[in-house]
Amino acid sequence: MLQLLALAAAALLALAPTAGALPKVSRVGKYLYTEDGNRFFIKGIAYQTQGRKLPTQLKHNLIVFYSPPPVGLNLSFIFDTSHDFLVVDNLADSAACARDLPTLQKLGINAIRAYSANSSLNHDECMQALSSAGIYVILDLTLPLNGSIDTTLPAWSTNTLDQYLRTIDAFEKYDNVLAYNVGNEVMTPTATQAAPFLVAAARDIRAYLNSISSSALVGYAAIDGPASFVDNEADFLACSESASIDIFGLNNYEWCGNEPNTTFDSLNSRFANYGVAAYFSEFGSENCNPNPRLWTEIPVMFRYSLHSTVLVPAINLVHFPLSEPMTNVWSGGVAFSYFTDMSKGHDFGMAALSPDNSSVTTNADFDNLAAKFNAVTFVNSPAKGASTPSLPSCPSPSPPGWNASNTLPATPNDAACGCLANELSCVFTPPSPDYMVLVGQLIGIACGLVAQAGGTCDDISSNGVTGTYGRLAMCDPTIKLSYVMSQYYELNHRVNAACSFSGNATINASAKPSLLAAAAASSCIPSPAIFTPSAPPVLVPDAGKKSNSTSGGPTADNSGHSTNGGMSGIVVSRGLLVGVTAALGCVVGGMIWTLA
Ligand SMILES: *[C@@H]1O[C@H](CO)[C@@H](O)[C@H](O)[C@H]1NC(C)=O
Ligand SMILES: *[C@@H]1O[C@H](CO)[C@@H](O)[C@H](O)[C@H]1NC(C)=O
Ligand SMILES: *[C@@H]1O[C@H](CO)[C@@H](O)[C@H](O)[C@H]1NC(C)=O
Ligand SMILES: *[C@@H]1O[C@H](CO)[C@@H](O)[C@H](O)[C@H]1NC(C)=O
Ligand SMILES: *[C@@H]1O[C@H](CO)[C@@H](O)[C@H](O)[C@H]1NC(C)=O
Ligand SMILES: *[C@@H]1O[C@H](CO)[C@@H](O)[C@H](O)[C@H]1NC(C)=O
Ligand SMILES: *[C@@H]1O[C@H](CO)[C@@H](O)[C@H](O)[C@H]1NC(C)=O
Ligand SMILES: *[C@@H]1O[C@H](CO)[C@@H](O)[C@H](O)[C@H]1NC(C)=O
Ligand SMILES: *[C@@H]1O[C@H](CO)[C@@H](O)[C@H](O)[C@H]1NC(C)=O
């Protein structure tokens, strides 16, 4: 079957029109335009298999060792209550892409959104098939587990930067990458401290894209919430010329069933003057009346003015009357979701797979979506350059609902962190490739011990609320851990027992005998700087074992406790966050598990 599907894919590629590359899309002011000067709107669908949930004990082993899981693995673990996700890279599955492309084309879409990609895999067939069909890709650079900036213990560090850059390197050869997202639903209404790290990520990814002459947009997909949160979040992400996203995505489910056409009025007036492009990075509320979904928001979202000959500069509107087009404010949206996606007991999926995965069956939601999407006519105004509102102001220090510093962390520096790793006296020795959870635990333990011995973990800590960033906060977590272990060892006059950590650490006999970790940091780590990152170090599968590695290894997993995996449709207005907090050693902040 796979062979047949692969042939089908090949045939499809061969038959596809040999049209030139898809036109580049760029942002001018708050709108998107293709090279020919026409406005561009996103008319898309989320194309991502929902991550399978794994129990805490097994997930890391599974991800590192067993991808795909071997025969005989007890798969009933999979629907555990844990909220971590196994990476599914749909864009690497060429047979599935060939299977799905005709179905996607029925929707009349011009974009899909994919939530995770594995840069080690080949994406040629899917990306080229999509391109031939005129479909752009909005790609999240994040991975589940430690592959994203964390909601409550955020950092912008070499391992995450390098993962993002590797993904960009794997996708830049395609002509249909519309945007790269630096995060999905990382900030929440109760935890906004990741904001400076996300903006730093946008800044450094923008610089890298510029350095490789990429025109892809830099985006972020935001969880919805109270206006006090969403508005500050949107402003924060776009308030600096040198560190701004190009496109703000809002995962918005407020239109539910037969909503009145005034439903988006509040959003419209709030975003009327927004300085960069904005779109709905997810939409399509489930379990509404009527059900299946009628998608009545689509004609509203893409509606053009009935008075389009009367020019009303939208940027001056404070109240947004119904008769004015939403297209003056938004650049389209991404319907959620192609694949089955369970959230709160409801399935947002519109295409079900046959048991052998060879065919898809679409549902009534899909048919209704196709009807509405195919009826959309894009407006072509304002003209390129006609409206370029200024960027928003950064939120004033502590507006209600917002808790983040305007001081950004520096660009993560692989060379500096690698230099330090080579000089440390006591080095973390991962007992297995499955080490990212252990690293978190050991940092907590080691920081506790260092504090008792009179030291601090300030060097490795960062705080997005106060805008203070330790000089090592940008380094890979394994290097941070080795640094703290070395400090403890040195505070204890280098007795062997102080560099054991129950067998998780090893003395480096080759390290300079009297060099203190802090002094090594002073010589290796320059003052914080903003610079254009260069291509990331080559990925070594067991990178964490190498002393001079600056990369956390291929699975670098993130908390995944936020919906960083991004595969959950969330109806914010229906009660969203359930938080549980836990202290973790010296590291500032708590952890929040969000139930999606
Ligand atoms: C598989 O896992 C489930 C859930 O933990 C357990 O109840 C079941 O006994 C396991 N089956 C086997 C064959 O180990
Ligand atoms: C809502 O908007 C749609 C699309 O413009 C229009 O067809 C419909 O009549 C409107 N409904 C109401 C109640 O205004
Ligand atoms: C079908 O696809 C799903 C999702 O990609 C995968 O988990 C499953 O193993 C596949 N089943 C078969 C029979 O290939
Ligand atoms: C902001 O963060 C500070 C320090 O973490 C905390 O004390 C304060 O309660 C927070 N304020 C809000 C509004 O979340
Ligand atoms: C990685 O994520 C896990 C939770 O999924 C967390 O326990 C651990 O501390 C994280 N590791 C690091 C180094 O951040
Ligand atoms: C490493 O540290 C963990 C957590 O404290 C501990 O359970 C384990 O026994 C230690 N040693 C090894 C070799 O993993
Ligand atoms: C030990 O220190 C030497 C000399 O600084 C360095 O070259 C080497 O990479 C270090 N080894 C480990 C395991 O950290
Ligand atoms: C350390 O880094 C150097 C240069 O980046 C590389 O040649 C060497 O193989 C690395 N050593 C280890 C043990 O990773
Ligand atoms: C990416 O793919 C490679 C090659 O199949 C695999 O070894 C690795 O575990 C994958 N990484 C993730 C994060 O799934």
Side-chain angles (χ1 to χ4, degrees):
M1 180 54 68
L2 280 180
Q3 234 167 3
L4 280 178
L5 288 169
L7 282 177
L12 198 140
L13 281 176
L15 290 175
T18 50
L22 283 185
K24 286 185 172 33
V25 174
S26 56
R27 174 182 74 83
V28 179
K30 65 190 273 90
Y31 304 119
L32 305 178
Y33 296 91
T34 46
E35 289 162 295
D36 55 12
N38 288 315
R39 258 197 88 183
F40 180 83
F41 291 89
I42 294 160
K43 188 168 61 156
I45 190 166
Y47 184 74
Q48 177 69 53
T49 302
Q50 189 171 31
R52 288 173 293 171
K53 293 172 180 175
L54 299 172
T56 314
Q57 263 81 51
L58 276 188
K59 67 194 176 202
H60 296 280
N61 282 333
L62 283 172
I63 291 161
V64 177
F65 287 125
Y66 306 130
S67 182
V71 181
L73 185 75
N74 184 351
L75 292 178
S76 53
F77 280 118
I78 277 174
F79 296 101
D80 190 89
T81 50
S82 152
H83 293 85
D84 297 312
F85 296 95
L86 195 64
V87 177
V88 178
D89 184 344
N90 293 92
L91 299 175
D93 189 345
S94 50
C97 284
R99 173 198 66 204
D100 293 332
L101 191 61
T103 311
L104 291 169
Q105 286 180 288
K106 282 188 199 150
L107 290 171
I109 54 169
N110 64 7
I112 61 164
R113 179 171 167 212
Y115 291 67
S116 38
N118 180 338
S119 59
S120 307
L121 304 178
N122 185 306
H123 305 91
D124 289 354
E125 288 192 32
C126 273
M127 290 301 287
Q128 283 159 12
L130 290 165
S131 171
S132 299
I135 297 174
Y136 291 87
V137 174
I138 299 165
L139 180 62
D140 291 18
L141 296 170
T142 53
L143 293 175
L145 307 175
N146 300 65
S148 167
I149 293 166
D150 189 58
T151 297
T152 53
L153 295 174
W156 176 229
S157 46
T158 53
N159 52 316
T160 313
L161 169 67
D162 291 343
Q163 172 196 307
Y164 286 12
L165 297 185
R166 283 188 191 103
T167 303
I168 290 170
D169 285 353
F171 279 83
E172 259 320 288
K173 56 178 169 292
Y174 308 122
D175 62 31
N176 56 332
V177 178
L178 179 69
Y180 295 109
N181 285 332
V182 295
N184 177 63
E185 301 192 347
V186 178
M187 296 175 268
T188 72
T190 54
T192 59
Q193 64 266 37
F197 303 90
L198 289 160
V199 173
R203 174 197 67 205
D204 295 339
I205 294 305
R206 175 79 269 154
Y208 184 71
L209 290 173
N210 289 347
S211 76
I212 60 170
S213 304
S214 166
S215 65
L217 307 167
V218 176
Y220 176 77
I223 199 169
D224 204 357
S228 56
F229 161 69
V230 171
D231 297 357
N232 285 315
E233 172 182 55
D235 288 353
F236 193 93
L237 288 165
C239 65
S240 152
E241 197 71 57
S242 60
S244 167
I245 54 166
D246 297 304
I247 183 159
F248 178 79
L250 186 62
N251 295 345
N252 176 283
Y253 291 89
E254 83 183 280
W255 188 293
C256 193
N258 273 327
E259 292 286 346
N261 284 0
T262 49
T263 299
F264 290 130
D265 279 6
S266 160
L267 267 184
N268 289 339
S269 60
R270 283 154 47 203
F271 278 81
N273 292 318
Y274 193 51
V276 301
Y279 77 118
F280 294 89
S281 38
E282 289 176 9
F283 72 91
S285 211
E286 250 296 334
N287 194 35
C288 298
N289 185 16
N291 202 16
R293 288 174 281 184
L294 291 182
W295 302 100
T296 42
E297 64 268 55
I298 288 175
V300 174
M301 199 179 278
F302 289 94
R303 182 167 62 174
Y304 58 90
S305 173
L306 300 173
H307 316 286
S308 56
T309 51
V310 183
L311 286 178
V312 181
I315 53 166
N316 294 328
L317 292 179
V318 177
H319 174 68
F320 194 91
L322 241 186
S323 57
E324 292 310 321
M326 266 187 90
T327 53
N328 274 3
V329 184
W330 303 90
S331 294
V334 174
F336 197 85
S337 151
Y338 183 81
F339 291 107
T340 294
D341 196 301
M342 297 299 298
S343 183
K344 294 181 173 264
H346 301 294
D347 188 355
F348 286 73
M350 291 177 256
L353 301 181
S354 60
D356 67 354
N357 285 348
S358 66
S359 61
V360 285
T361 310
T362 55
N363 62 15
D365 277 4
F366 180 94
D367 294 340
N368 294 340
L369 179 65
K372 288 291 194 300
F373 263 168
N374 281 299
V376 168
T377 309
F378 293 143
V379 302
N380 197 15
S381 67
K384 189 172 180 173
S387 164
T388 51
S390 51
L391 295 178
S393 315
C394 297
S396 58
S398 285
W402 191 252
N403 214 4
S405 168
N406 290 331
T407 304
L408 305 183
T411 306
N413 187 330
D414 269 306
C417 295
C419 165
L420 174 67
N422 268 335
E423 304 284 6
L424 295 174
S425 55
C426 177
V427 180
F428 170 55
T429 322
S432 75
D434 164 20
Y435 58 81
M436 280 307 269
V437 166
L438 183 62
V439 169
Q441 290 168 353
L442 287 171
I443 286 178
I445 293 167
C447 281
L449 290 170
V450 161
Q452 281 169 22
T456 78
C457 265
D458 291 351
D459 276 342
I460 66 157
S461 305
S462 49
N463 184 330
V465 173
T466 57
T468 44
Y469 308 103
R471 54 186 169 169
L472 269 68
M474 61 161 176
C475 294
D476 180 280
T478 60
I479 295 174
K480 290 182 201 172
L481 174 57
S482 294
Y483 180 77
V484 179
M485 287 172 157
S486 297
Q487 284 186 310
Y488 183 68
Y489 175 59
E490 290 156 13
L491 284 165
N492 284 283
H493 312 292
R494 302 189 187 237
V495 297
N496 288 355
C499 179
S500 164
F501 296 89
S502 317
N504 287 299
T506 318
I507 294 165
N508 185 353
S510 315
K512 293 190 192 83
S514 58
L515 181 64
L516 295 179
S522 298
S523 72
C524 285
I525 311 271
S527 23
I530 293 161
F531 58 93
T532 300
S534 49
V538 173
L539 186 61
V540 184
D542 59 349
K545 283 185 166 163
K546 303 240 162 74
S547 61
N548 66 348
S549 166
T550 53
S551 147
T555 57
D557 51 356
N558 178 34
S559 85
H561 297 132
S562 69
T563 46
N564 291 342
M567 290 145 220
S568 314
I570 290 171
V571 185
V572 170
S573 54
R574 283 163 186 76
L576 169 63
L577 296 166
V578 178
V580 182
T581 52
L584 176 64
C586 67
V587 186
V588 182
M591 289 182 139
I592 293 180
W593 278 255
T594 64
L595 302 182

